[in-house]
Amino acid sequence: MPSTIQSIELRNLKIEDYKELKKSMIESYPEMAESFWKEEQLEVLLNKFPAGQLVIVVDGIVVGSALSILVTEDFAFKTKTYKEITGNFEFSTHNPAGEVVYGIDVFINPKYRGLRLGRRLYDVRKELCEQLNLKSIIFAGRIPSYGKYKDEITPKVYIEKVKKKEIYDPVLSFQLSNDFHEVRVLQNYLVGDTESLEYAVLLEWNNIYYDDSPKLINTTKSVVRLGLIQWQMRSLANLEALFDQAEFFIDTVSGYGSDFALFPEFFTAPLMADYNHLSEAEAIRELARHTEAVKLKFQEFAISYNINIITGSMPFIENEHVYNVGFLCKRDGTNEMYRKIHITPNEVFHWGITGGDVIQTFDTDCGKIGIVICYDVEFPELSRLMADEGMNILFVPFLTDTQNGYTRVKHCAQARAIENECYVAIAGCVGNLPKVNNMDIQYAQAAVFTPSDFAFPSNGIKAEATPNTEMTLIVDVDINLLRELHEHGSVKILKDRRHDLYSLTKK
């Protein structure tokens, strides 16, 4: 390594670079000294795919390069030798319509190793893959240290030991550290590669931003705006008064361009004041008579205000059982029901509520979401099953009477965000409701929680409302940050689960 370096430049290859590139390549592969690229071969590559040919220049000297072509994924996976993938080294296999970058070569002059220049080449190749909306990067990597172990272990065992860092391989160890995963072992891949005994490992890096069906309209948004409604319990004269108050909030959060409006659990409870002379169990059944009308009105609001509405929850009677349910009213006019699965002792004792039996996620124009009601968020299995289905945002309408109950909801919601690498939005009711039995006092603080990693707030809290005050909370969440977290986070909780020891499935 030179003692002093004045400048480092990473740029596209030019044919004028050939003389220096040839010298660096010969020095990089001393065991295959006659296998350097010819000038006419590089001219072909530059004519076919100029963006895919990269060089590292240190103080005006070309010290490394990354060369590539485009191929189809099927061709990349089924081709078994270097000669085949390169079209007998003439690159006739380059396919401008291919969805995969195939790495033909990467090398750094030995004199300049230790500066992480190879990583720079890999990073720029990944950026190219993302910019061109290509599916992945694939190539076959040599395993030059395998020759030392050929009499002891098979290539398969060798790869596993490299992965576990029991063996260091200068090529494979580097590629695995750059987020490539092995696909399979190839035999007789590169003629003359005596160090690897002509074995190679087919490797792949997946572009998590790849879109195989780009659309001009109705595309899934990457930044989603959430409108959380911290609902004040108050006396309401009738159902129309409830609709007026609800519409005020929907109009407000829609006016700020929100994609979702989240209402709290049992925000319709003020309507039970008319039935306070009845038992709690009878009053909740009377309140359930309004549920269909509330659903229909919120469907209308969702369309007219162009917003997806999560209606908190309300009682619903089916086959004489009372359920705690809500509706996802989408701005396309459709709606879907969700049910509270775990019922609190209070709900069972006073209202006789029955738990639902459906665990599901919902597809929206902002991606896949999950919804659990209050107590459900304290059971991690539900949201984990939803995360396995691709949930990005978990919505939690809740109702808690004391700060103790709220603390359980809050901290469990934060845990769900971290362990499932998703956003969690919670919204509850505040204030007092003196004329409704079993609904006297409320405590809430709406919030949006995030995973805990460098791209997110250090405390995992994106935003919080003022406690026990009627208000709205408008929050933007970036779905692309979740995708980045899944692949490149400080920890990868979903990926690192030990499926060989345990599993979680729906019954």
Side-chain angles (χ1 to χ4, degrees):
M1 184 189 305
S3 57
T4 59
I5 291 178
Q6 301 300 319
S7 67
I8 297 176
E9 180 186 13
L10 197 161
R11 59 169 170 79
N12 287 110
L13 172 69
K14 303 173 184 177
I15 198 61
E16 300 86 65
D17 297 321
Y18 177 71
K19 185 177 179 180
E20 291 177 0
L21 184 143
K22 175 184 174 181
K23 180 180 178 182
S24 283
M25 187 175 183
I26 291 173
E27 293 181 12
S28 299
Y29 300 119
E31 71 282 3
M32 296 184 288
E34 299 302 318
S35 298
F36 57 84
W37 295 111
K38 307 299 188 291
E39 186 171 3
E40 56 269 23
Q41 290 173 312
L42 293 186
E43 286 182 334
V44 171
L45 276 177
L46 287 172
N47 287 330
K48 288 180 176 289
F49 187 31
Q53 320 315 322
L54 306 167
V55 290
I56 286 275
V57 182
V58 177
D59 292 339
I61 301 171
V62 176
V63 302
S65 179
L67 310 176
S68 57
I69 58 175
L70 298 180
V71 297
T72 64
E73 183 180 48
D74 180 64
F75 181 73
F77 281 147
K78 74 179 182 181
T79 306
K80 298 179 180 179
T81 70
Y82 193 58
K83 186 175 182 179
E84 289 175 342
I85 198 70
T86 59
N88 197 24
F89 313 112
E90 296 178 357
F91 312 114
S92 58
T93 49
H94 173 75
N95 183 349
E99 70 270 32
V100 165
V101 176
Y102 195 98
I104 296 300
D105 204 348
V106 174
F107 62 87
I108 297 292
N109 189 308
K111 298 175 183 176
Y112 293 85
R113 290 175 185 167
L115 297 173
R116 298 181 179 270
L117 300 181
R119 187 177 294 273
R120 293 198 193 194
L121 288 170
Y122 274 60
D123 288 344
V124 171
R125 189 184 266 174
K126 291 173 184 176
E127 290 177 11
L128 176 67
C129 185
E130 293 173 358
Q131 291 167 3
L132 298 180
N133 189 35
L134 300 173
K135 193 170 186 178
S136 64
I137 300 171
I138 297 175
F139 62 87
R142 302 168 61 237
I143 44 175
S145 292
Y146 177 63
K148 303 174 186 178
Y149 301 90
K150 62 182 176 61
D151 296 327
E152 303 172 26
I153 53 178
T154 65
K156 180 179 179 181
V157 174
Y158 177 82
I159 293 168
E160 287 301 314
K161 286 184 175 292
V162 173
K163 288 171 63 178
K164 293 178 181 178
K165 295 182 169 53
E166 295 173 8
I167 293 176
Y168 175 77
D169 185 281
V171 177
L172 183 58
S173 295
F174 172 74
Q175 291 157 347
L176 293 175
S177 72
N178 275 276
D179 299 318
F180 284 82
H181 63 268
E182 78 279 11
V183 178
R184 68 173 183 273
V185 176
L186 300 174
Q187 291 182 276
N188 306 315
Y189 180 73
L190 179 60
V191 175
D193 183 8
T194 55
E195 289 185 321
S196 307
L197 301 184
E198 299 186 0
Y199 283 106
V201 182
L202 192 66
L203 295 147
E204 180 179 30
W205 175 85
N206 298 108
N207 175 14
I208 60 174
Y209 304 113
Y210 173 65
D211 182 2
D212 61 353
S213 56
K215 301 175 183 177
L216 296 178
I217 59 173
N218 297 326
T219 55
T220 300
K221 303 179 68 171
S222 59
V223 176
V224 179
R225 181 161 294 178
L226 312 180
L228 282 55
I229 296 159
Q230 193 154 281
W231 178 270
Q232 173 78 45
M233 289 296 200
R234 55 167 59 81
S235 297
L236 295 171
N238 49 40
L239 186 59
E240 288 303 316
L242 182 138
F243 289 157
D244 287 344
Q245 189 65 28
E247 185 173 13
F248 165 77
F249 282 116
I250 294 169
D251 185 17
T252 299
V253 297
S254 172
Y256 283 107
S258 298
D259 298 292
F260 289 95
L262 173 63
F263 281 82
E265 180 183 22
F266 280 130
F267 77 100
T268 61
L271 297 176
M272 280 199 291
D274 290 342
Y275 317 115
N276 212 34
H277 60 286
L278 303 175
S279 69
E280 288 95 336
E282 292 172 319
I284 202 76
R285 287 177 175 269
E286 290 299 321
L287 181 61
R289 296 178 184 274
H290 297 295
T291 295
E292 180 65 18
V294 172
K295 182 192 76 171
L296 293 174
K297 192 65 176 179
F298 275 67
Q299 278 185 272
E300 178 185 319
F301 287 153
I303 296 170
S304 58
Y305 287 98
N306 189 29
I307 191 170
N308 301 301
I309 303 175
I310 296 162
T311 67
S313 82
M314 56 205 78
F316 176 76
I317 298 176
E318 184 178 77
N319 298 325
E320 297 303 314
H321 293 292
V322 181
Y323 295 92
N324 186 349
V325 312
F327 301 92
L328 169 60
C329 297
K330 301 179 186 179
R331 49 187 160 199
D332 65 3
T334 62
N335 76 90
E336 297 181 77
M337 179 189 286
Y338 51 89
R339 303 184 185 220
K340 190 172 185 177
I341 305 295
H342 301 90
I343 308 304
T344 63
N346 180 284
E347 290 174 280
V348 174
F349 180 78
H350 290 284
W351 293 330
I353 291 181
T354 300
D357 57 8
V358 177
I359 303 169
Q360 64 188 120
T361 53
F362 302 93
D363 291 313
T364 74
D365 54 6
C366 297
K368 195 176 291 289
I369 68 167
I371 307 171
V372 296
I373 302 174
C374 197
Y375 193 32
D376 281 338
V377 80
E378 298 175 32
F379 297 83
E381 297 86 353
L382 296 185
S383 52
R384 175 50 57 84
L385 289 168
M386 294 176 183
D388 283 341
E389 294 181 6
M391 171 192 68
N392 293 316
I393 308 172
L394 178 66
F395 291 94
V396 186
F398 71 91
L399 177 73
T400 49
D401 55 353
T402 66
Q403 192 168 359
N404 305 68
Y406 169 73
T407 297
R408 291 194 296 271
V409 170
K410 174 184 177 179
H411 290 299
C412 288
Q414 282 194 276
R416 303 299 84 85
I418 292 170
E419 68 198 14
N420 295 306
E421 298 175 338
C422 68
Y423 297 106
V424 179
I426 68 173
C429 295
V430 299
N432 304 318
L433 198 57
K435 294 183 180 181
V436 177
N437 291 332
N438 198 42
M439 294 292 295
D440 310 273
I441 57 175
Q442 331 295 326
Y443 183 96
Q445 183 178 21
V448 174
F449 304 118
T450 74
S452 183
D453 213 321
F454 296 116
F456 305 94
S458 58
N459 62 357
I461 301 174
K462 178 72 173 178
E464 287 182 302
T466 303
N468 264 12
T469 301
E470 184 170 55
M471 63 181 295
T472 60
L473 187 64
I474 311 295
V475 183
D476 285 349
V477 295
D478 190 340
I479 305 304
N480 282 342
L481 291 180
L482 298 180
R483 296 174 183 167
E484 190 75 21
L485 176 70
H486 298 333
E487 298 295 328
H488 309 300
S490 299
V491 293
K492 305 178 183 72
I493 297 173
L494 293 178
K495 280 193 167 187
D496 289 342
R497 286 175 292 169
R498 289 290 302 275
H499 292 293
D500 57 323
L501 295 179
Y502 57 84
S503 64
L504 179 64
T505 59
K506 295 181 186 179
K507 289 188 176 180

